[in-house]
Amino acid sequence: MTFLTIGHRGVMGVEPENTLRSYLRAERSGMDAIALDLRLSKDGVLVAVHDPEVDRTTDGSGAVADLTLAELRELDAGQGEHVPVFEEVLDAVRSPLQAAVADRAAATVLAELILRRDLTARVEVASAHEAVLAEAARLVPGVRTVLYASPLAGDAEGVVDRALAAGAGTLAVDVRLLTLETVEAAHAAGLRVTGRAVDTLDQLRLARALGLDGATTDYPEVRSTGRFTA
């Protein structure tokens, strides 16, 4: 089976995270897909930012939800990059995208965009919140969804049940928290399982040994190394 390598916020280990520069490098590196994070600006535009605030990833400060798109565009997101609008990302790269949203409001705007631009085959919706995934699936029948989860020790069935209840097709878990029991339970239930974030050769070997379907990574080198790691 194909092992998917997913660029984490582009390739954030070597480029400013969640920027067009990072996404373009991830695509040039041959990543099978790109994972990015979306939030709504004050004026309701989907922008690519991971944190609720812009303080860590830009030269600005404040909550994304309190800043207009014009205000966000004035910020330096690293190496002169701007905070991207999601539609800019769609136009800049051709890769499949895993778009993570944290709330129903962002999921609703994302769903409208997926429908308007016929993106069901290209964009899958990810979230740590089951209700958000369920809302996306309600709004966009047939959309693929990913549950970001952190299973408790000995609770393989519980995390699988959460994913199934949310209608997710993929379970994405911190590779350091994954166990063979969780992977086998997920596969038995028909779920794909990916590891987050696989950034070292040892972690890549672990991901392959666990029989994962793929992994997100911060580094382009993991993509090339992964082709030859059994």
Side-chain angles (χ1 to χ4, degrees), residues 22-215:
S22 191
Y23 303 141
L24 287 166
R25 182 155 178 188
E27 186 166 73
R28 289 197 304 271
S29 301
M31 296 292 177
D32 298 300
I34 298 170
L36 70 161
D37 308 278
L38 299 177
R39 292 187 177 275
L40 287 176
S41 65
K42 184 177 181 179
D43 41 355
V45 180
L46 279 175
V47 293
V49 180
H50 176 268
D51 299 358
E53 298 81 26
V54 299
D55 301 54
R56 181 180 64 83
T57 56
T58 78
D59 61 351
S61 63
V64 178
D66 291 336
L67 298 170
T68 65
L69 177 61
E71 291 170 328
L72 288 166
R73 298 293 273 177
E74 292 177 357
L75 305 179
D76 186 334
Q79 300 187 40
E81 289 288 305
H82 297 293
V83 173
V85 173
F86 183 48
E87 291 209 59
E88 288 181 313
V89 182
L90 290 167
D91 295 335
V93 298
R94 297 183 178 180
S95 302
L97 300 172
Q98 185 180 106
V101 287
D103 56 60
R104 291 192 181 192
T108 298
V109 176
L110 176 58
E112 292 170 353
L113 181 58
I114 291 173
L115 290 171
R116 175 163 56 83
R117 294 190 52 162
D118 192 20
L119 298 170
T120 307
R122 184 182 173 198
V123 175
E124 60 181 357
V125 180
S127 183
H129 308 288
E130 295 97 314
V132 173
L133 296 183
E135 181 67 3
R138 183 185 71 81
L139 295 170
V140 187
V143 71
R144 291 168 296 121
T145 57
V146 182
L147 178 65
Y148 291 165
S150 299
L152 300 174
D155 189 34
E157 291 186 1
V159 73
V160 169
D161 288 343
R162 283 181 56 203
L164 293 175
T170 300
L171 184 61
V173 180
D174 185 328
V175 71
R176 297 166 297 181
L177 301 178
L178 270 171
T179 64
L180 186 58
E181 179 187 15
T182 299
V183 177
E184 289 179 341
H187 282 163
L191 297 170
R192 294 196 311 169
V193 188
T194 58
R196 311 165 58 217
V198 173
D199 288 336
T200 68
L201 184 56
D202 283 345
Q203 289 175 335
L204 181 57
R205 287 179 176 137
L206 173 61
R208 300 303 292 264
L210 287 170
L212 300 188
D213 301 287

